[in-house]
């Protein structure tokens, strides 16, 4: 897992390893992440508040289907909307 911008602020980290014993969907992964990071650092929004606005890239490809299985060993990037051009 790699977190960027507001997602990194919500978790307090830029990167972590998440290992599962079964195939997970985007929804499963989001629930797991919210469970792992229920509280944000002072002054930041929680991951549960940030995730609904985020895009998830799985091995560099946007994943929008909440029920699509995620490949074991995939790199997942959590990208909040960015401002600017």
């Amino acid at each position: 897992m790699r977190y960027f911008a507001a997602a990194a602020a919500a978790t307090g980290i830029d990167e972590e390893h998440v290992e599962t014993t079964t195939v997970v969907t985007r929804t499963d992964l989001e629930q797991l992440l919210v469970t792992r990071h229920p509280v944000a650092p002072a002054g930041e929004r929680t991951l549960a508040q940030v995730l609904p606005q985020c895009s998830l890239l799985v091995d560099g490809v946007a994943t929008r289907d909440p029920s699509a299985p995620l490949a074991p060993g995939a790199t997942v990037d959590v990208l909040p909307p960015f401002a600017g051009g």
Side-chain angles (χ1 to χ4, degrees), residues 25-50:
T25 64
R26 176 183 170 145
T27 298
D28 296 333
L29 180 61
E30 288 177 352
Q31 290 171 351
L32 175 65
L33 296 176
V34 167
T35 300
R36 288 178 83 152
H37 303 284
V39 178
E44 300 295 343
R45 295 185 302 155
T46 66
L47 191 58
Q49 294 170 313
V50 172

Side-chain angles (χ1 to χ4, degrees), residues 8-73:
T11 60
I13 58 174
D14 294 329
E15 192 172 310
E16 72 178 318
H17 181 77
V18 175
E19 190 170 322
T20 63
T21 58
T22 61
V23 173
V24 297
T25 64
R26 176 183 170 145
T27 298
D28 296 333
L29 180 61
E30 288 177 352
Q31 290 171 351
L32 175 65
L33 296 176
V34 167
T35 300
R36 288 178 83 152
H37 303 284
V39 178
E44 300 295 343
R45 295 185 302 155
T46 66
L47 191 58
Q49 294 170 313
V50 172
L51 274 178
Q53 290 86 41
C54 291
S55 296
L56 263 62
L57 300 183
V58 179
D59 291 331
V61 178
T63 302
R64 291 180 176 82
D65 181 356
S67 62
L70 304 179

